[in-house]
Amino acid sequence: MSLRTLALGASMLLALAAAGSAQADTVSVFCGATDYDLCVKAADAWKAKTGNEAKINKMPATLDDAIPLYQQLLAAKSPDVDVLFLDVIWLGMFKNNLLDIKDKVPQAEKDAHFASTLGAGDIGGELIALPAYMDVGLMFYRKDLLEKYGMQPPKTWDELAAQAKEIQEKERAAGNKDMWGYTWQAKSYEGLTCDAIELIASNGGGTIIADDGKVTIDNPDAAQAIERAKGWIGTISPEGVLNYDEEASRAVFEAGNSAFHRNWPYVWGTSQGGGGPLVGKVGMMPLPVGKEGQKSSGCLGPMYFGVNKYSAKPELATEFVRFITGPDMQKMRAVEGAYNPSISALYSDEEVLKKLPFLKDTEPAFADSATRPSGYTGTSYNRVSQAFYRAVHDMLTGDEEVEAGLKKLAGRLEKLKESR
């Protein structure tokens, strides 16, 4: 081979490398605070596969705080962030600002997701988001402590309260003065809407507003559920629970200072990783019921990725959404973060089940889950939820009597629901 041929070959390789570099591009992505590291890992995998980069921007720790950020961004038709991380309850709120990607996603990819979860991202015939993972409220418990005191996992909330009280008293007597029976989320924010709707629905009290628009919250079963939870505060739950979100309550549980803990599936990963004090000591199950004959009513909360309608790179942004919600990244998220996949095939994946042996047990939780009334309320959902969780918080603190508070809340919701 001549020097001239070698020189030409080298020139061609340099030209191809330059062309590849020129074609590489960057999209900007919002991702949740709790799974930020997994998003960064997905971005690294995408870069390795495509050469393109995804700049991951961490959202506020409390998802509520992201809503005004999104509203400002989208009202200005800003292209600054290409891909948005979306709670299922936001899809109706932001549907007019999200790109329809139905024709950009192969049918086989769509069919891989659970139909109900994919369907929530299809509004008015437009596919505005793809599911990243499925969430449902679950109960975590110290299986070592239940075994120590000869207990079986509780089936009802009253059984849980009785067990929590006994464990708390005995563990404190044994020297753990910081032990509490139950930690959950009672701060005045969206998380309280989830926790409260679980308690109320599992007690036969409905889900605030029915699918046909009827306000159902003012009823004796709902009142009984809230009174029950109010009685936990200062007895089996610390007073501080009134300011606990997911992370604050998780910190108490993972420090070994709570027998029971309500949260989302990711807590399995955080509690069982890194050689922490709870490795091998945690069990998980669907939430208890308030009354016999009722269903465990964990709040359903899938998370999605969608493309900002005003993105300057809609094609590339769509490619990233397909990648981060695809089977490889959902498997990575399941194995490393204990997030329930929305892709049904992963529920029989041996590697996933080896890492998440509980996964098969969470399917009943999805079947019996309770949904927030975002379907009927649409763009009014945020105002409806704020009215609900603020009212419930006032009832839990004692600032408002429960029955009077529910009656007042129902009247307010009648007005808010129709402003959608």
Side-chain angles (χ1 to χ4, degrees):
M1 185 179 292
S2 69
L3 290 176
R4 182 171 180 275
T5 303
L6 286 171
L8 284 171
S11 298
M12 289 178 66
L13 287 173
L14 288 170
L16 286 170
S21 176
Q23 290 171 1
D25 207 342
T26 301
V27 291
S28 182
V29 181
F30 266 132
C31 196
T34 57
D35 55 344
Y36 172 79
D37 291 341
L38 297 177
C39 286
V40 170
K41 182 167 283 192
D44 290 342
W46 193 54
K47 182 178 181 181
K49 181 177 181 178
T50 68
N52 297 307
E53 295 191 26
K55 178 185 175 185
I56 306 298
N57 304 281
K58 185 185 289 188
M59 294 167 66
T62 301
L63 279 180
D64 281 14
D65 295 337
I67 293 175
L69 181 66
Y70 276 22
Q71 288 172 328
Q72 183 178 3
L73 177 83
L74 297 172
K77 299 184 178 180
S78 171
D80 289 348
V81 180
D82 303 287
V83 175
L84 304 177
F85 187 60
L86 299 152
D87 195 321
V88 63
I89 60 173
W90 300 353
L91 298 181
M93 191 185 311
F94 296 123
K95 63 183 179 182
N96 294 329
N97 305 110
L98 297 170
L99 187 69
D100 178 12
I101 59 175
K102 177 170 284 186
D103 294 335
K104 303 177 188 299
V105 181
Q107 189 61 44
E109 290 183 22
K110 291 184 276 193
D111 291 343
H113 297 274
F114 287 115
S116 59
T117 312
L118 181 76
D122 191 325
I123 298 179
E126 295 187 352
L127 184 62
I128 58 173
L130 289 175
Y133 58 86
M134 298 177 72
D135 252 350
V136 68
L138 295 170
M139 185 62 65
F140 297 83
Y141 60 91
R142 289 284 300 278
K143 64 180 183 180
D144 60 322
L145 294 180
L146 266 64
E147 291 170 1
K148 179 179 179 179
Y149 296 112
M151 300 173 179
Q152 294 296 317
K155 300 295 185 184
T156 69
W157 287 110
D158 288 339
E159 287 176 5
L160 181 144
Q163 290 183 3
K165 181 175 184 293
E166 181 178 346
I167 293 172
Q168 176 180 303
E169 290 174 350
K170 290 181 175 178
E171 287 296 297
R172 286 184 178 184
N176 185 358
K177 302 299 182 184
D178 295 325
M179 174 59 76
W180 287 95
Y182 180 46
T183 49
W184 47 297
Q185 300 84 42
K187 179 180 177 179
S188 182
Y189 80 122
E190 181 66 27
L192 179 54
T193 293
C194 291
D195 285 49
I197 209 170
E198 291 167 346
L199 293 165
I200 292 168
S202 74
N203 206 52
T207 53
I208 312 173
I209 298 174
D211 290 342
D212 62 2
K214 181 181 179 181
V215 175
T216 61
I217 190 59
D218 184 16
N219 67 79
D221 292 324
Q224 183 185 50
I226 296 172
E227 290 283 7
R228 177 185 285 127
K230 181 179 177 181
W232 297 336
I233 298 169
T235 57
I236 62 171
S237 300
E239 293 281 350
V241 79
L242 290 164
N243 288 309
Y244 282 1
D245 58 12
E246 284 87 351
E247 291 297 274
S249 58
R250 177 175 72 86
V252 177
F253 179 68
E254 292 186 3
N257 293 326
S258 178
F260 294 94
H261 176 55
R262 180 268 174 213
N263 214 313
W264 304 99
Y266 80 98
V267 170
W268 176 264
T270 58
S271 67
Q272 299 306 293
L278 298 188
V279 174
K281 298 179 180 179
V282 175
M284 60 188 296
M285 64 182 190
L287 296 176
V289 300
K291 290 181 176 180
E292 295 292 340
Q294 296 298 325
K295 293 182 177 181
S296 168
S297 300
C299 186
L300 190 63
M303 298 299 295
Y304 295 76
F305 283 100
V307 177
N308 177 2
K309 194 174 185 177
Y310 313 110
S311 167
K313 306 167 186 176
E315 298 292 337
L316 190 63
T318 300
E319 288 300 314
F320 181 76
V321 167
R322 289 175 56 196
F323 180 81
I324 199 170
T325 62
D328 291 343
M329 292 303 100
Q330 288 216 18
K331 181 173 180 176
M332 179 272 289
R333 195 183 291 270
V335 170
E336 299 190 21
Y339 289 91
N340 287 350
S342 67
I343 294 176
S344 57
L346 292 175
Y347 282 71
S348 57
D349 183 283
E350 290 185 6
E351 188 175 355
V352 171
L353 291 176
K354 183 178 179 180
K355 291 286 186 178
L356 304 177
F358 69 84
L359 199 59
K360 61 183 181 297
D361 298 324
T362 61
E363 288 191 80
F366 284 113
D368 294 340
S369 60
T371 56
R372 288 164 282 179
S374 56
Y376 180 84
T377 56
T379 56
S380 295
Y381 174 78
N382 197 41
R383 293 188 293 275
V384 166
S385 182
Q386 284 181 346
F388 177 70
Y389 66 65
R390 288 171 180 170
V392 172
H393 192 267
D394 286 344
M395 297 174 212
L396 294 175
T397 61
D399 290 343
E400 182 82 70
E401 291 297 320
V402 174
E403 289 189 8
L406 289 177
K407 190 173 292 296
K408 187 185 300 183
L409 173 62
R412 178 160 172 70
L413 294 180
E414 287 287 357
K415 299 175 182 177
L416 287 175
K417 71 171 186 175
E418 298 304 342
S419 61
R420 60 197 174 104

